[in-house]
């Protein structure tokens, strides 16, 4: 199956969401991953339908929902360990969001991924910024690196 020719880079949609966070969400400090993914899906699918019409609904949107709709947000969350699987090779690359309740990224066992609170880095309070958020990235083929915000 061919790649979906998205109207914009997927990271641009996430950047737009982060930049307009308070406009998109009524409770900006309590946004869950599932809410972020729903909005991301809505923006991408609306653009695909606008640009490609029926073709978008036939195969583009289903293909997007099979992978990118959940993978792309993980790439932009700095303290998400799965970033290393997406070849993030620099701690400054693709920095948009954090899990504010889990600065070290160790949420497994405590919560399910869709229920985690997520927040744009730019909206962190001064106290939250002092939480030493770990940034996951990969140096070379196997070496997992971490930095702090």
């Amino acid at each position: 199956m061919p790649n979906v020719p998205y109207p914009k880079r997927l990271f641009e949609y996430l950047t737009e969401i982060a930049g307009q966070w308070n406009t998109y969400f009524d409770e900006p400090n309590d946004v869950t991953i599932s809410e972020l993914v729903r909005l991301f899906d809505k923006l991408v699918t609306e653009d695909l339908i606008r640009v490609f019409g029926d073709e978008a609904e036939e195969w583009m949107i289903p293909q997007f929902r099979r992978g990118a709709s959940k993978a792309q947000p993980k790439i932009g969350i700095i303290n998400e360990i799965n970033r290393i699987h997406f070849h993030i090779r620099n701690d400054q690359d693709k920095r948009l969001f954090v899990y504010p309740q889990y600065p070290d990224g160790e949420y497994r066992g405590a919560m399910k991924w869709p229920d985690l609170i997520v927040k744009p880095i730019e909206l962190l309070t001064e106290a939250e910024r002092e939480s030493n958020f770990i940034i996951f990235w990969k140096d070379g083929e196997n070496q997992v690196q971490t930095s702090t915000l």
Side-chain angles (χ1 to χ4, degrees):
M1 187 163 279
N3 289 333
V4 175
Y6 297 106
K8 297 190 281 193
R9 287 180 25 245
L10 292 176
F11 199 72
E12 289 180 64
Y13 290 101
L14 292 169
T15 302
E16 176 186 325
I17 292 169
Q20 297 179 27
W21 194 258
N22 292 333
T23 303
Y24 283 125
F25 300 107
D26 294 331
E27 298 288 332
N29 290 317
D30 293 319
V31 176
T32 63
I33 290 291
S34 60
E35 292 172 290
L36 171 61
V37 169
R38 269 194 304 276
L39 177 59
F40 178 55
D41 181 274
K42 178 180 181 279
L43 295 176
V44 173
T45 58
E46 284 175 353
D47 266 6
L48 285 170
I49 291 168
R50 181 183 49 77
V51 174
F52 298 105
D54 290 342
E55 187 179 2
E57 295 196 41
E58 287 173 19
W59 69 273
M60 293 176 186
I61 293 170
Q63 186 171 331
F64 165 70
R65 288 182 175 154
R66 275 194 297 276
S69 69
K70 291 185 178 74
Q72 287 295 316
K74 286 184 178 184
I75 292 171
I77 301 170
I78 63 168
N79 53 338
E80 169 59 59
I81 186 73
N82 287 313
R83 281 171 49 97
I84 63 172
H85 301 295
F86 297 104
H87 308 292
I88 303 297
R89 302 222 187 266
N90 177 327
D91 69 345
Q92 299 298 308
D93 199 19
K94 304 222 187 272
R95 296 167 50 129
L96 288 177
F97 307 107
V98 297
Y99 301 132
Q101 296 168 309
Y102 298 95
D104 62 1
E106 292 294 328
Y107 64 84
R108 286 166 180 73
M111 296 190 81
K112 294 188 186 285
W113 184 72
D115 301 328
L116 290 171
I117 300 293
V118 64
K119 190 174 187 179
I121 293 170
E122 298 303 316
L123 296 181
L124 291 174
T125 65
E126 197 58 44
E128 288 171 327
R129 285 185 178 277
E130 294 172 4
S131 295
N132 290 326
F133 288 99
I134 291 179
I135 303 169
F136 288 102
W137 52 289
K138 192 172 184 177
D139 182 17
E141 289 305 310
N142 299 313
Q143 187 65 32
V144 175
Q145 297 290 325
T146 61
S147 308
T148 54
L149 184 63

